[in-house]
Structure formats: structure tokens, C-alpha cells
Amino acid sequence: MLFGFLPDLGSGFVSIGNGKAGTKAQCLALSATSLKDGKSVLIDRCNLNKEQRADFIKLKDSHQVDVHAVVLDLPAKLCISRSVKRTGHEGNLQGGKAAAVVNRMLQKKELPKLNEGFTRITFCQNEIDVQAAMDTYGALSSSDSLPSGCFGEKTTDTKVQLGIMKFLKRVDAPSKVSSDKTIPGPSIETIDVKPSVNEGQEPSETHSLDGIPTLAFPSISTADFQFDIERASDIIVETVEEFVNKIGNGRLVLVDLSRGSKILSLVKGKAAIKNIDPKKFFTFVGDITKLRSGGLHCNVIANAANWRLKPGGGGVNAAIFDAAGPDLDIATKKRAGSLAPGKAIAVPLPSTSKLFSKEGVTHVIHVLGPNMNSKRPNCLKDDYNMGCKVLREAYSSLFENFVSIVRTQGKLSDHDISNCDQKLRKEDSANVAEKNGKFKGYIEENESKRLCLTNGKEKASNNANTGGSMNKDWGSWAQALYNIAMIPEKHRNVVIEISDDVVVLNDVYPKAQKHLLVLARAEGLDRLADVGQEHLSTLRTMHAVGLKWAETFIKENESLVFRLGYHSAPSMRQLHLHVISQDFDSKHLKNKKHWNSFNSPFFRDSEDVIQEISEQGKPTLNDDEKLLSMELRCNRCRSAHPNIPRLKSHIAICKSPFPTHLLQNGRLLHAPMKDDAC
């Protein structure tokens, strides 16, 4: 297996022991040193199990890099043939004894999973796959990235090697697994692993009935979000019990990829205690994107989504977006731009989607549960009172969406769905606010804190006044700035200036020493794309207010330099001007997107926007998301850097003048310039 830590590319290969066997400690030390120097590292070791890999994966936390795995899951026959024939191996794994060693390694092999900390895993089953992986990584430049997720893994009906007959005794097949013919040639026995039925609750014949509306859903929040499995199993069973009689002839199926899944075992036992009809609810082992081929037809599947409703990130989310193809991403963007914890949203799949045509999936329901992982956004920090409440809301919203889908497909009567439909209408009437009145922060980045911004009366007001733009583009947390701009008096604890035209507040996750937001108070100005010549007066007012605050800060600290501008495609509703110092000295600046959103053409200077609207009627929008993944370059000397820590270290001491284009047209505001510096 190869690990790849990928902050930058272009490193050479180093043999630790100069042709002799090296140690794991040596490998770790050299890897850490190389990462610190901004190099990419490829670690060529067997790494048979999770324990062996763990120390290497930990390196990513201190160096802020992605971790990839390339798994050489090649046939045992090929592995033995090569090991027997080779000579001069530093570990003396060659000749006749190599076969026995390889066999022992195969028995101990534990394939890597994304939840170990990998960003991407590529499985190579043959020489073609190996060459493809080499070509993929060999072609990467320093500004390129690869999609997150798991690629090339064996499907459930792939033959699994259990023994090497030529060298050892035949390995008996496990119970309930049927033996198949051997692959041509000596030495390999294969077992055809059949898809699991349903953890023993219901025979597979009942699963394949296409006419029964069925929702397959994973356990929400118990993987990457690290929610307690025991508590989660209670909530699943209790919520299923509440809804199972509201879905007519529909079925609910909890799915997990692991045959020894603890959550499946717990839920199955608790469901039996509550006498939940096993024909209406059962558990199933399999890939949620390939259930039909495994004997279970589900027309609706649930996705454990991220708050941005974006592909990637690994796990179920990456698998579903990958299996559905780009159609799902496009369809999702039409429904919502983000999702709040405890909420779900149903997305109809176009018939062109691979999940629709191959698996018969008509809808994907995105659902977001509570997060208990401090390394992920909106961590509740072991607040299980709130966590259980949010998880219960998430499952309720998921099942309510399923009831609504079944109703529209003509499977239920109005009586069956009336209660659920009423709840859905309340939640879908603009996705205004979470039931607990909490929003994510004010800025466009996913961070881990929340701020209470609304009460029940304010929610009702927003429902009536948000209009189509909110329904189409904005999720609940993205309404925070809008709510402040419309009723700033209710948010005096965060607002530092209020006028008839603008509201000013500190960015709650500043990306520099000083970072303000100037909000327009006009209805209908959600983003820069909404601005026309009729709004010039508002833009000039916002700019003047921003200049006033920047000048105030400069009087307090003459070393500060400010830039005023807009993001071409903000992820929060309500037009807002960034007033940001150019030191970018902040713990909240953590990744490429943070940096490039202020240091690439994605950021439009306020002076330029005003001039373009005056002359052309509309501003130029540089909203290509590729701009946010550009290589990291100093905002002064434009030197390239492999990662954020290296970049921050550099900009803290860089005294180069700012680029010429920034020094023109009033794009930068600073104290009177000295001879040797800006």
C-alpha cells in the first residue's frame, strides 16, 4: 500500500536504509521532515492493518495535508510469483518461504477505510489499475487536486481469496458462503461472497419487490461525526416506531457496509424488543449505492450529507455523489445551497443519473445530523442533550420527506400522510430557520460555533418576506446576515453600527487582525449578481462606511493595510462588503479556500465594482470555483507556498511592496507610505 501526503508535488524518492531494511521510526521521522519542508511524501510499506497506518495518518494533523492511500490489492498468485522469483530483498522475503509469508499477510490484511483519516483511497486490482494510479498522480501539478472518496473497491460479488492451495492446506469456506470454481491456474482458491440478505430479519425474496416504496438510510452522525452509537440506536428505533405506521405499504431499511456493524446489531435487537414489524423495517448489509444488484430494491436512499451539500468528504456522501454522477450535484443546487443540522431535503434524481438508470433510485434525501467531532464544523462538544434533540429531528425530517415522496408517487392516502405533510410544509416554506433558533456564523466558511439570532416571531416574518431567491439558493444558516440587516435592533450584541442604509459588524470568524462586514439593508440585494445601476448610491455608502472604519483602525495601528471588496459568489445571503486588513494573521484562516477567496480574482475590489456598474451597468463576476483551489501565493511578493502554515510564516516577515495593480485605483488603504515599505 502507498500512502500519499499531498500538500505539493515534485519530490524525489529516498531509500531510508541505502538498500538495507529500514525501521518505521526512521520512516516517520523522514516523512515529518519532508512535510515540514513542503514536499510530498509517498510511503512505500505494507501497512497491512489500521494500527500500522495510524502513526503515519497522524502526520496530517500537524502539517495540514491530505492523506491518500493507493491499495495494491493484487491477486495472491501474482504476489507469490513475484516474491518467489526476486533476489536480494532487504528483508530476505524471497524463494520458497515467500509463499507462506504472503499467505499469512493475506490473512491479516485489513483494507483501509476513509474513517481512518484518509482523504482518498484508490484500490488497484490489476496491473492496469496500478498504471492508471501512477499516471494520475504523475500528472498532478502543484495546483491540482483529486476528488475525495473511495475508488476502485471490490463490489460485494467480487471473489475473495482465502488461501494459497499450492503451498498450504485448503482453507474452508465460511458458513453460509457458497464456493465457486477456482481461477484458472494453480495455487488460488476463491470464494464467491453473496450479498447479505438483511441480518436475518426477512428473506431476500421480499426485498426484490419493485412495487414497494422503500427508503434505505445509513446511520446518521455515528461515523465521521462520532455520535455515540448506543444513543443513536435508541433514537433510530424510537423514530422508526413513530413513523412506521405512517408510511402505508412503504418500508424503512437501515443499511451499513460492514458485516459486523455494531449499529445494525443494536438497532435490530431493540426493534425486536419493541415488536416493530420486520416487513416494514429491517437492517441490511451492503453498499447503499448498489442495493438493487444485492437483492434489495430501494427507490429512495438517504445521504449523510455535509452542510454545504457538496460532493466529496468521503464516506456515504462521496459514494452517493460518485454513483449518481454530476446530475445529483446539479439537482441538489436547484433545491438548496446548504443544510442545517437536524434537517433533510429531498432531491428528485433525473432519469439520466446512473443511480436512477442502474439502481432504480428516484430520490436522494440529504440529511444532516449533529456533530460530536471537534475537527468538524458545528461541534456540540459532548452536549448530548442538544445532540439527541438534533439527531431525532434529523430522522424525523428524513422520514417526513420519504412520506411526502410516497404520497406524490400515489402510494399513500391523504389520511396516512396528513400529519407528516403539515410538518413538511412548515419546514419547506423557505427553510428559514432551525427549530432551535440557532444559525451558523455570519461568514462564508464552515466553522464550529453557533449564534442564536432569531425567535419565533422573527421566523414568521422571514417566511413572508424572503421571496424566491431564498427558496432556491439559501439554506437556513445562510440567512444570518439577512436577518441582522433587516432587524438589526434585535442583534445589538453583535452590531457595531446601524444606519438607514447599512449595518456594520465584526466577522465572527475573522481572517485577519481586523475584518468587518458592511451589510446593505435593501431587500432583494442578496449578492453582487443582484446589483445594478439603481444601487450605485447604496454601494457608495457601503464603501464610504468601510473606508471610515479602516481609517479608524489605521489611526490605532499604522502598520495595518486594508482592502475593501466583495466575494463574486458568497455563500451567505445579503450583499456585504468585506473590510479586511492584509496581514491575514488569524487562527481562522485555515485552508486554500479561505486564502484565495481574498487573494484571487474571486475577490472584487469595491472601487472596481462601483466603476464597472457606473460604466457597464453590472459588475464582473469571477465566480469560477477553481479560483479557490489555486496554489497559495504571497499577497505581496507572489511567491508560492505549499501549505497555510508555511504561507503564514512567510507573510509575517515579507516586506515586499504590494503588486502594482493593488496600489492603483485606491484598492488599498494605508498610512502614509515610508520609503522602504507599503
Side-chain angles (χ1 to χ4, degrees):
M1 184 186 301
L2 294 172
F3 283 81
F5 296 79
L6 302 170
D8 193 8
L9 295 171
S11 305
F13 286 92
V14 176
S15 178
I16 292 176
N18 294 320
K20 299 179 181 179
T23 66
K24 181 179 179 180
Q26 289 175 307
C27 191
L28 282 166
L30 183 57
S31 298
T33 301
S34 300
L35 289 172
K36 186 177 180 180
D37 292 339
K39 298 178 180 179
S40 295
V41 179
L42 299 179
I43 301 172
D44 183 8
R45 300 180 78 248
C46 290
N47 296 303
L48 286 175
N49 54 46
K50 181 177 180 179
E51 183 180 359
Q52 292 183 20
R53 299 185 286 263
D55 289 334
F56 292 100
I57 295 175
K58 289 178 183 177
L59 292 174
K60 73 170 186 175
D61 296 329
S62 55
H63 298 281
Q64 296 192 9
V65 292
D66 289 340
V67 188
H68 293 197
V70 179
V71 184
L72 304 183
D73 196 16
L74 300 175
K77 179 180 178 181
L78 179 61
C79 296
I80 289 178
S81 174
R82 288 179 172 176
S83 61
V84 168
K85 293 178 181 178
R86 66 187 173 189
T87 58
H89 184 258
E90 61 272 15
N92 199 29
L93 184 60
Q94 58 196 40
K97 74 173 185 179
V101 174
V102 170
N103 183 74
R104 287 198 300 271
M105 293 171 70
L106 283 173
Q107 308 309 312
K108 297 177 181 179
K109 180 175 66 176
E110 182 182 357
L111 294 177
K113 297 180 179 179
L114 292 170
N115 60 15
E116 293 179 36
F118 290 108
T119 308
R120 176 186 173 95
I121 302 175
T122 303
F123 289 88
C124 298
Q125 314 292 349
N126 51 49
E127 296 283 10
I128 296 175
D129 292 345
V130 174
Q131 187 60 51
M134 293 172 61
D135 293 342
T136 296
Y137 283 96
L140 290 177
S141 68
S142 59
S143 61
D144 291 332
S145 61
L146 293 174
S148 302
C150 205
F151 302 89
E153 191 172 12
K154 289 179 179 178
T155 58
T156 54
D157 59 349
T158 303
K159 300 177 186 302
V160 180
Q161 302 164 40
L162 294 186
I164 315 300
M165 290 175 59
K166 183 175 180 179
F167 302 96
L168 301 163
K169 295 180 180 180
R170 172 187 291 270
V171 178
D172 293 333
S175 61
K176 298 185 180 180
V177 180
S178 60
S179 178
D180 199 4
K181 62 183 180 179
T182 58
I183 295 177
S187 81
I188 301 178
E189 180 189 33
T190 62
I191 301 296
D192 187 9
V193 179
K194 303 297 183 184
S196 169
V197 283
N198 61 2
E199 290 290 291
Q201 288 204 28
E202 201 51 37
S204 61
E205 297 88 70
T206 63
H207 293 166
S208 61
L209 298 176
D210 287 2
I212 300 179
T214 303
L215 166 67
F217 63 97
S219 176
I220 307 301
S221 291
T222 53
D224 191 41
F225 282 179
Q226 299 179 2
F227 196 94
D228 180 73
I229 291 178
E230 189 71 42
R231 290 185 175 100
S233 63
D234 288 336
I235 291 172
I236 292 172
V237 173
E238 290 166 5
T239 316
V240 166
E241 185 181 30
E242 176 187 350
F243 279 87
V244 75
N245 293 321
K246 300 178 181 180
I247 58 175
N249 67 332
R251 301 180 302 180
L252 303 173
V253 186
L254 177 64
V255 177
D256 194 282
L257 193 60
S258 172
R259 191 173 296 275
S261 167
K262 183 177 180 181
I263 189 70
L264 291 191
S265 177
L266 287 171
V267 168
K268 183 173 65 173
K270 293 176 181 180
I273 293 172
K274 288 183 174 288
N275 294 317
I276 296 177
D277 186 351
K279 293 183 179 179
K280 305 277 288 182
F281 171 65
F282 51 87
T283 60
F284 191 90
V285 175
D287 184 338
I288 199 168
T289 67
K290 300 175 182 177
L291 294 175
R292 190 170 194 169
S293 55
L296 173 64
H297 179 229
C298 299
N299 60 313
V300 183
I301 62 175
N303 174 37
N306 54 54
W307 69 273
R308 284 187 178 274
L309 294 175
K310 295 289 187 182
V316 173
N317 185 68
I320 289 179
F321 271 103
D322 184 58
D327 292 316
L328 176 58
D329 190 22
I330 295 170
T332 299
K333 288 178 179 177
K334 292 179 180 179
R335 298 301 303 273
S338 62
L339 193 63
K343 303 298 181 185
I345 184 168
V347 177
L349 271 182
S351 59
T352 51
S353 169
K354 293 181 290 185
L355 265 182
F356 186 104
S357 58
K358 293 183 178 180
E359 296 293 325
V361 176
T362 62
H363 292 75
V364 172
I365 303 177
H366 298 299
V367 58
L368 182 61
N371 173 39
M372 299 298 178
N373 184 349
S374 61
K375 297 181 180 179
R376 295 290 181 265
N378 293 323
C379 178
L380 295 179
K381 298 181 179 179
D382 291 328
D383 181 358
Y384 272 98
N385 288 330
M386 177 60 70
C388 290
K389 179 178 182 292
V390 174
L391 187 60
R392 198 177 302 275
E393 290 176 351
Y395 279 113
S396 295
S397 184
L398 169 63
F399 297 153
E400 286 161 4
N401 272 273
F402 177 56
V403 169
S404 182
I405 291 169
V406 173
R407 182 195 64 129
T408 60
Q409 294 178 342
K411 300 298 182 182
L412 293 181
S413 67
D414 290 339
H415 175 74
D416 291 322
I417 55 83
S418 58
N419 292 333
C420 295
D421 199 39
Q422 289 173 11
K423 293 181 182 178
L424 277 176
R425 282 197 295 269
K426 291 178 182 178
E427 290 189 15
D428 288 344
S429 62
N431 268 337
V432 176
E434 295 179 65
K435 293 175 182 176
N436 58 12
K438 291 187 177 181
F439 283 99
K440 200 177 167 302
Y442 309 133
I443 56 158
E444 291 88 25
E445 316 302 338
N446 52 331
E447 304 286 357
S448 61
K449 297 180 180 178
R450 291 182 171 195
L451 181 65
C452 182
L453 296 177
T454 60
N455 58 31
K457 293 181 180 179
E458 188 173 344
K459 290 181 190 177
S461 173
N462 290 339
N463 277 338
N465 295 301
T466 51
S469 176
M470 180 180 173
N471 278 329
K472 181 176 181 180
D473 299 314
W474 310 102
S476 59
W477 69 265
Q479 305 297 324
L481 296 184
Y482 172 83
N483 291 321
I484 293 174
M486 294 301 105
I487 316 178
E489 296 80 9
K490 291 189 177 182
H491 311 292
R492 291 189 180 276
N493 58 322
V494 295
V495 171
I496 58 177
E497 180 180 345
I498 303 174
S499 71
D500 291 340
D501 300 311
V502 301
V503 173
V504 183
L505 64 151
N506 287 300
D507 194 311
V508 74
Y509 300 114
K511 298 302 183 290
Q513 287 187 47
K514 298 295 182 181
H515 187 180
L516 297 182
L517 302 180
V518 182
L519 315 182
R521 296 195 64 187
E523 283 275 9
L525 280 183
D526 289 351
R527 50 195 165 187
L528 199 56
D530 298 326
V531 175
Q533 286 186 327
E534 67 273 22
H535 303 115
L536 273 174
S537 176
T538 298
L539 293 180
R540 291 186 176 121
T541 299
M542 294 172 71
H543 185 83
V545 172
L547 284 178
K548 178 190 71 175
W549 279 97
E551 290 168 351
T552 299
F553 291 136
I554 290 173
K555 289 179 181 178
E556 298 171 355
N557 183 353
E558 290 190 354
S559 68
L560 294 177
V561 178
F562 282 88
R563 191 175 176 192
L564 282 64
Y566 302 87
H567 285 153
S568 291
S571 57
M572 294 197 73
R573 186 186 184 201
Q574 197 60 22
L575 182 69
H576 51 283
L577 173 72
H578 292 269
V579 181
I580 185 167
S581 60
Q582 297 301 287
D583 51 86
F584 294 100
D585 181 10
S586 170
K587 65 180 181 180
H588 299 296
L589 196 147
K590 299 177 180 179
N591 54 46
K592 274 187 175 182
K593 182 172 183 178
H594 292 171
W595 177 259
N596 286 323
S597 67
F598 293 100
N599 292 283
S600 76
F602 186 86
F603 188 78
R604 299 303 329 281
D605 288 280
S606 178
E607 290 279 8
D608 293 342
V609 168
I610 293 173
Q611 182 177 341
E612 289 169 359
I613 295 175
S614 299
E615 297 174 354
Q616 307 167 17
K618 296 292 288 184
T620 300
L621 301 178
N622 302 316
D623 54 3
D624 188 342
E625 289 193 0
K626 292 181 180 178
L627 293 171
L628 301 179
S629 60
M630 293 170 57
E631 64 182 347
L632 298 169
R633 288 187 174 274
C634 173
N635 59 332
R636 286 178 175 263
C637 68
R638 304 304 296 162
S639 59
H641 299 272
N643 51 48
I644 289 292
R646 291 284 296 276
L647 175 64
K648 284 185 174 182
S649 297
H650 168 80
I651 61 178
I653 60 174
C654 182
K655 300 299 181 182
S656 297
F658 285 94
T660 303
H661 76 280
L662 287 182
L663 297 173
Q664 300 171 345
N665 199 30
R667 295 184 179 97
L668 292 180
L669 185 67
H670 48 75
M673 294 176 61
K674 299 178 182 179
D675 293 338
D676 59 346
C678 269

